[in-house]
Amino acid sequence: MPYLIRCLESVEAQTIGADRIEMVAVDDGSTDGTGEYLEEFAARSAVATRVIRQANSGGPSGPRNVGLGLARGRYVFFLDADDYFGDEALERMVAMADRAHTDVVLGKVVGVNRGAPMSMWTATRSRVDIYNSKIIYTLSAQKLFRRELLERIGLRFDEELRTGEDALFTMEAYLRGAGVSVISDYTCYHLVGRGDGKHVTKSGTYLWRFDSMRAMMALIHRLEPAGPKRDILMIRPFAIGMLQQFGPVFLRDSEEVRRDKMELAAPLMDVYWNDGVARLIKVAERLRLAAVARGRSDVLVDVLTYLRQKSVPDVVRSGKGDRVFLAYPHFRDRSSGLWDSDFEVTVPDWHGGERIESPVAAVRRMSRSRRAVRRLRRAVRRWRARLITG
């Protein structure tokens, strides 16, 4: 409360119709009148509503699992009590899933007094490739899931995790489901920033974050065979999880916390960090992870300090001109434990506000463009030939 009022109003306003919606509301030990309001809503609303009141579980996983166990619809959507739907959200998402025969549908999310993921909303697509799209960067639970999938594979939220349980759930649905759809031309979900700042995702210790990373990395390795596709998926836990722990916050951490984080990261880096993943990450971020992988918190601090000062590294080219390096601190300093490959530009990067890419990538891009032009010219010649003979 009071966010719940707007949330429930958005359910009643759904254009799909109240007769096609069943709501299971789990009151997880609230003390602000939420339970009483839910019961009042259930008694008067045209939306079939079942209210479950239970002792506080300490997190969202337990309540979501309770609701999922009671759900009877073809699809389920996990609606948080402080957020709300766009009026046509469920109608559009269900229609997309029915039409595309996909098991997960992402409806466009916008933030209200807070940020929200943006990179995956470039176009509405009935089916996307998880390896060549940005959907792995939105793993929150606020999506439409086909319930048959969840029941068939026994997918539930991990109640042992204190954070990141939704990312684990959604990634498994992506990988084991029959496809993912994206709706970008309509705002389906409003993600609300609470005035009190008490979002579960903003609470917790770094120990919980490492638990979440460990679980995600293990899941990806279990479900995706070794190779380029796995490397792409592994960017997610490294870029979203690991880098957050070894970013600017590391400079503010005590020496004890720094040592603890390095010890927690060591086994994960030993098992999951490899050259295939490293080469998919920009230089400044890769250097931080490389320093962690080699147990060099001193080198990490040097890199972070350099980045905080907004310094711009020199661009260094190999003798043959086929490799480009960004000379951040400790470039070609053998005592640092870093290698030249850690400084190499392997994906499009930024240097002093300008885009930079590796010579190999530039040649490949030009080759693709030339091939496309040649195909177009051949098509035009064939078209002209048909006109002449016709």
Side-chain angles (χ1 to χ4, degrees), residues 178-364:
V180 181
S181 301
V182 176
I183 295 174
S184 299
D185 56 354
Y186 180 80
T187 299
C188 293
Y189 197 84
H190 299 265
L191 192 67
V192 178
R194 287 173 50 166
D196 58 12
K198 293 182 179 179
H199 290 278
V200 173
T201 54
K202 293 184 178 180
S203 63
T205 71
Y206 64 86
L207 298 174
W208 295 0
R209 310 294 177 183
F210 276 97
D211 288 341
S212 177
M213 278 186 270
R214 191 178 302 111
M216 177 62 74
M217 291 174 177
L219 174 76
I220 293 171
H221 269 237
R222 175 168 61 85
L223 296 181
E224 187 66 52
K229 288 184 176 180
R230 179 196 280 179
D231 293 340
I232 290 171
L233 297 180
M234 289 300 293
I235 295 174
R236 176 54 162 76
F238 280 112
I240 303 298
M242 193 71 75
L243 281 174
Q244 288 180 341
Q245 299 306 315
F246 296 102
V249 66
F250 193 77
L251 294 177
R252 301 190 297 270
D253 287 335
S254 67
E255 285 299 323
E256 180 182 1
V257 170
R258 288 183 183 181
R259 285 193 299 272
D260 198 21
K261 285 185 175 181
M262 294 293 285
E263 289 174 3
L264 288 166
L268 300 181
M269 302 304 289
D270 287 345
V271 174
Y272 300 115
W273 180 248
N274 60 50
D275 188 58
V277 179
R279 293 182 71 80
L280 295 172
I281 297 176
K282 295 176 182 178
V283 176
E285 297 172 344
R286 185 196 308 143
L287 286 173
R288 288 152 55 188
L289 293 169
V292 174
R294 281 144 216 171
R296 294 298 299 268
S297 61
D298 56 333
V299 172
L300 173 62
V301 168
D302 289 345
V303 173
L304 288 171
T305 302
Y306 185 87
L307 292 171
R308 185 175 62 182
Q309 294 168 347
K310 301 185 183 303
S311 302
V312 178
D314 291 334
V315 176
V316 178
R317 299 183 183 275
S318 63
K320 295 181 179 180
D322 58 344
R323 301 172 73 189
V324 173
F325 307 92
L326 297 182
Y328 282 96
H330 298 288
F331 178 57
R332 290 182 174 162
D333 171 10
R334 294 184 179 180
S335 67
S336 70
L338 298 178
W339 310 327
D340 279 5
S341 59
D342 296 323
F343 297 83
E344 184 181 356
V345 176
T346 56
V347 294
D349 212 321
W350 292 95
H351 178 262
E354 296 184 359
R355 183 182 167 93
I356 185 172
E357 61 181 330
S358 71
V360 173
V363 169
R364 287 174 179 168

Side-chain angles (χ1 to χ4, degrees), residues 3-53:
Y3 303 93
L4 180 64
I5 297 172
R6 180 70 181 87
C7 173
L8 296 180
E9 287 174 347
S10 77
V11 176
E12 290 190 299
Q14 289 303 293
T15 56
I16 198 171
D19 60 328
R20 296 187 62 189
I21 304 172
E22 173 195 49
M23 184 165 68
V24 180
V26 183
D27 174 19
D28 195 46
S30 67
T31 58
D32 60 357
T34 290
E36 292 78 8
Y37 187 82
L38 285 171
E39 290 177 346
E40 292 173 10
F41 178 87
R44 61 176 165 78
S45 179
V47 175
T49 303
R50 182 172 182 178
V51 179
I52 308 299
R53 303 185 69 173

Side-chain angles (χ1 to χ4, degrees), residues 116-122 134-135 137:
M118 298 177 61
S119 62
M120 60 292 306
W121 312 123
T122 56
K134 299 293 186 180
I135 65 169
Y137 297 104

